């Protein structure tokens, strides 16, 4: 049960990072890089820009 929720969390973090990246930078390459970083980029963006 915990494996399913963990993989769902990683998938959501990746999607959120890609969305934030595309909105901020409008570049597919940055979106891919930030998607790989996932939650790390989401947390960085939240700290840096809010």
């Amino acid at each position: 049960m915990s494996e399913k929720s963990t993989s769902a969390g990683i998938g959501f973090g990746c999607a959120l990072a890609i969305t934030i990246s595309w909105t901020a930078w409008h570049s597919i390459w940055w979106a891919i890089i930030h998607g790989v970083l996932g939650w790390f980029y989401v947390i960085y963006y939240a700290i840096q820009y809010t």
Side-chain angles (χ1 to χ4, degrees), residues 17-31 34 41 44-45 48-49:
I18 291 171
T19 303
I20 292 170
S21 180
W22 180 257
T23 302
W25 302 105
H26 300 288
S27 168
I28 191 66
W29 298 113
W30 280 118
H34 294 147
Y41 179 70
Y44 165 79
Y45 187 86
Q48 189 70 22
Y49 296 104

Side-chain angles (χ1 to χ4, degrees), residues 2-43:
S2 64
E3 291 177 22
K4 289 183 182 179
S5 61
T6 303
S7 66
I10 292 170
F12 179 73
C14 178
L16 186 59
I18 291 171
T19 303
I20 292 170
S21 180
W22 180 257
T23 302
W25 302 105
H26 300 288
S27 168
I28 191 66
W29 298 113
W30 280 118
I32 291 169
I33 292 168
H34 294 147
V36 170
L37 295 174
W39 282 112
F40 294 112
Y41 179 70
V42 173
I43 293 168

